[in-house]
Amino acid sequence: MERKNQTGLGNFLLLGFTEEPDLQPLLFGLCLSAYLVTGIGNLLVILAIISDSHLHMPMYFFLSNLSFAGICFTSTTVPKMLLNLQMQRKVITYEACLSQIFFFIAFGCLDNLLLTVMSYDRFMAICHPLYYTIIMNPRLCALMVLGSWCISVIGSLLETLTVLRLSFCTNMEIPHVYCDLPEVLKLSCSGTLINNIVVYFVTIILAVFPLSGILFSYSQIFSSILRISSAKGRYKAFSTCGSHLSVVSLFYGTGLGVYLSSAATSSSRTSLVASVMYTVLTPMLNPFIYSLRNQDMKGALGRLLSRVVPLSVGTIP
């Protein structure tokens, strides 16, 4: 079988939803709407946090970074998916495919690490409130976010750079709407043992360990809440971490759904739908979860919109 070498010659074909041509206009509309809602919703959250001095606290600093990561995460895959649906062009170059893999993994890992940092923030606020302002100082918060970015980039580089050593056959068709690393590895004509080892290593470091940290933090949080004597006090303590817990459940729930759908069925369509849901749904719902469940965010968004709307009305002649 003819091989394509690792110099970047040749293109991949993203098959996506080619089996359902009649549904593509509907899919385009749904994905475009979800992408716009994701971008606008997360951008409003970022602007509300920046513009409101009441939200200049560690939890909202982490939330603004999570919203930015959500915009970048969806922008890695959705624009290309929309272009393919609209223009019926399925080709993606080797270089563009590698870039997509890198940014998809980097921002996915960043989401994971930021959620872990936020769980630690809630752990300190509820379990050690007297030391919270001392430990969660601006310098530590900035270092935690910077560390999350650096670790995500390094982990993504490890997985992406190992693809450069692979050779690919004439069959360059990816049954997906974006360059999914496991699907790309399946197309390789050369051995992928090293790649699989790296993938498992990065998954353990950047997924299993952070999830373990989140579970430990919430086990301590729930234990502290249960020791509170009054029902009102328990409700107030739980409400401070309810939004974050909802986002964590959504993030890992959809991620687990993608994994189980891929493992339990040979149908590429089922796995494809689950992956699209994971890519689009989670970042889109995050701002709604935080704005609906958090009174401070509601107030900040209301004040932001009240300033924006009069300005836009005032520009009308």
Side-chain angles (χ1 to χ4, degrees):
M1 185 177 288
E2 183 185 348
R3 295 187 176 203
K4 305 278 186 182
N5 61 27
Q6 58 266 46
T7 59
L9 299 178
N11 299 321
F12 292 98
L13 291 177
L14 298 174
L15 299 183
F17 294 100
T18 52
E19 296 179 359
E20 304 288 348
D22 295 336
L23 291 178
Q24 290 188 9
L26 175 61
L27 291 171
F28 177 83
L30 291 174
C31 291
L32 178 60
S33 301
Y35 182 56
L36 292 175
V37 170
T38 300
I40 295 172
N42 283 285
L43 184 60
L44 285 175
V45 168
I46 295 172
L47 292 176
I49 293 172
I50 293 174
S51 62
D52 197 316
S53 60
H54 295 92
L55 300 184
H56 292 177
M57 297 185 292
M59 180 176 70
Y60 297 108
F61 173 65
F62 298 139
L63 176 59
S64 63
N65 280 270
L66 183 68
S67 295
F68 179 73
I71 294 174
C72 295
F73 185 66
T74 53
S75 298
T76 300
T77 57
V78 176
K80 177 62 177 174
M81 180 171 62
L82 293 173
L83 180 65
N84 289 349
L85 287 171
Q86 181 67 17
M87 305 297 294
Q88 299 297 312
R89 294 178 64 235
K90 310 299 179 185
V91 176
I92 184 170
T93 64
Y94 177 86
E95 293 80 7
C97 186
L98 284 184
S99 299
Q100 196 174 67
I101 289 173
F102 169 77
F103 287 111
F104 183 82
I105 295 174
F107 289 116
C109 291
L110 181 60
D111 278 343
N112 201 11
L113 292 176
L114 287 174
L115 288 173
T116 307
V117 169
M118 293 172 76
S119 71
Y120 176 73
D121 173 75
R122 293 299 84 203
F123 164 73
M124 290 302 304
I126 294 175
C127 299
H128 304 283
L130 298 179
Y131 300 99
Y132 178 75
T133 55
I134 299 174
I135 295 177
M136 299 301 295
N137 57 73
R139 182 174 179 273
L140 178 62
C141 294
L143 287 175
M144 293 172 80
V145 170
L146 179 61
S148 298
W149 278 89
C150 293
I151 293 171
S152 300
V153 169
I154 293 172
S156 183
L157 276 175
L158 286 175
E159 295 197 54
T160 306
L161 291 178
T162 53
V163 179
L164 296 174
R165 55 178 289 277
L166 301 177
S167 298
F168 294 92
C169 305
T170 52
N171 179 22
M172 305 285 278
E173 297 179 346
I174 301 175
H176 223 301
V177 291
Y178 59 87
C179 282
D180 188 36
L181 180 58
E183 297 295 337
V184 172
L185 294 181
K186 291 177 183 178
L187 302 179
S188 174
C189 291
S190 51
T192 59
L193 177 61
I194 294 177
N195 299 77
N196 291 327
I197 292 174
V198 170
V199 168
Y200 289 130
F201 173 76
V202 172
T203 301
I204 291 172
I205 298 298
L206 297 183
V208 176
F209 284 175
L211 177 59
S212 300
I214 292 173
L215 293 176
F216 173 78
S217 295
Y218 272 101
S219 68
Q220 298 299 306
I221 289 171
F222 290 145
S223 177
S224 296
I225 291 175
L226 291 176
R227 287 198 296 267
I228 298 175
S229 57
S230 67
K232 184 178 179 180
R234 286 196 296 268
Y235 174 79
K236 183 178 179 180
F238 183 77
S239 64
T240 62
C241 60
S243 298
H244 177 257
L245 185 60
S246 300
V247 171
V248 168
S249 302
L250 178 65
F251 181 82
Y252 284 101
T254 52
L256 183 62
V258 172
Y259 174 77
L260 292 178
S261 65
S262 301
T265 178
S266 59
S267 172
S268 60
R269 184 185 302 177
T270 303
S271 176
L272 179 60
V273 171
S275 297
V276 171
M277 294 282 287
Y278 174 71
T279 306
V280 177
L281 186 64
T282 305
M284 183 182 72
L285 293 181
N286 284 354
F288 291 100
I289 293 174
Y290 273 99
S291 61
L292 292 176
R293 295 180 61 91
N294 190 300
Q295 294 298 325
D296 292 332
M297 276 301 307
K298 277 185 183 180
L301 286 170
R303 288 187 289 272
L304 175 65
L305 293 175
S306 66
R307 289 196 296 267
V308 172
V309 172
L311 288 175
S312 61
V313 172
T315 58
I316 299 175

